[in-house]
Amino acid sequence: NYEEGNVTIKGGTVSTSQSNHAAIWNNANGNITIEKGEVTSTSSTAITNYSGGMVTVTGGEVTSTSRNAITNNAEGNVTIKGGIVSTSQNNYAAIWNNANGNITVENGEVTSTSSAAITNKAGGMITVTGGKVTSSGNTIYNTAEGTITVTGGTVATSGSESASIYNKANGTITIGDSSVAISSSNPN
């Protein structure tokens, strides 16, 4: 999606096995919506939101076995309202927020079997209001001055040396009331 168009996946499979080429590339301010079907990559990111665009997942699966499932590269927005977003590659996240973009999980599942489910690399905002965010590593990894807000859903890690929410630098973490389920195998 090169400019400001709208792309909706309503079924089938969109995939790539070519290195450094996402299955779906949203270049500018366009909108990508995944309703059903699969967006997969075995050698790169499944979806790259390169600039200020919007990626919405309401169903289906977005997966990568070699990199991030979704990379939000700049000031764009990624909203998970259903479906599954996952990666199994070490040192990559199911959703990687690279700059000042916004990631919202309202429903569905965001998961990583080997690293963070969501990495917030800079000053972006991660909001979880529902759904499940799970990982065997640090589930939500805030590496800089970003903001993490959890008011619903489940955020959990199965890693014995990991945290459900890890704030590496001077970011802001806000946790809602007792209805929020945050769990970790790590007693520290």
Side-chain angles (χ1 to χ4, degrees):
N1 192 21
Y2 190 72
E3 290 294 330
E4 296 180 2
N6 297 308
V7 175
T8 302
I9 307 300
K10 296 185 176 192
T13 301
V14 178
S15 65
T16 184
S17 59
Q18 195 170 22
S19 182
N20 297 319
H21 294 293
I24 296 176
W25 183 278
N26 196 27
N27 193 59
N29 294 319
N31 297 301
I32 305 294
T33 303
I34 311 302
E35 294 178 355
K36 292 182 181 178
E38 295 180 51
V39 180
T40 65
S41 174
T42 57
S43 60
S44 188
T45 299
I47 299 174
T48 296
N49 194 32
Y50 190 71
S51 188
M54 167 75 89
V55 173
T56 305
V57 180
T58 62
E61 292 187 40
V62 178
T63 61
S64 176
T65 57
S66 64
R67 299 223 180 138
N68 306 313
I70 298 175
T71 297
N72 195 37
N73 197 57
E75 287 77 33
N77 296 291
V78 174
T79 303
I80 310 302
K81 296 182 177 187
I84 298 170
V85 178
S86 67
T87 187
S88 57
Q89 182 62 34
N90 197 25
N91 296 321
Y92 289 93
I95 301 175
W96 184 279
N97 198 30
N98 200 48
N100 294 320
N102 298 303
I103 308 296
T104 303
V105 179
E106 298 175 1
N107 204 347
E109 187 173 338
V110 178
T111 185
S112 171
T113 58
S114 60
S115 195
I118 300 173
T119 295
N120 198 28
K121 189 72 175 159
M125 180 178 291
I126 309 296
T127 304
V128 179
T129 62
K132 288 175 61 176
V133 182
T134 61
S135 171
S136 61
N138 294 315
T139 303
I140 298 177
Y141 187 27
N142 198 35
T143 67
E145 68 275 1
T147 300
I148 310 295
T149 303
V150 180
T151 60
T154 300
V155 177
T157 183
S158 60
S160 62
E161 300 293 321
S162 301
S164 294
I165 300 173
Y166 184 76
N167 197 27
K168 183 177 179 182
N170 57 351
T172 302
I173 308 295
T174 303
I175 307 296
D177 61 25
S178 62
S179 67
V180 178
I182 298 179
S183 65
S184 173
S185 300
N186 184 355
N188 297 320

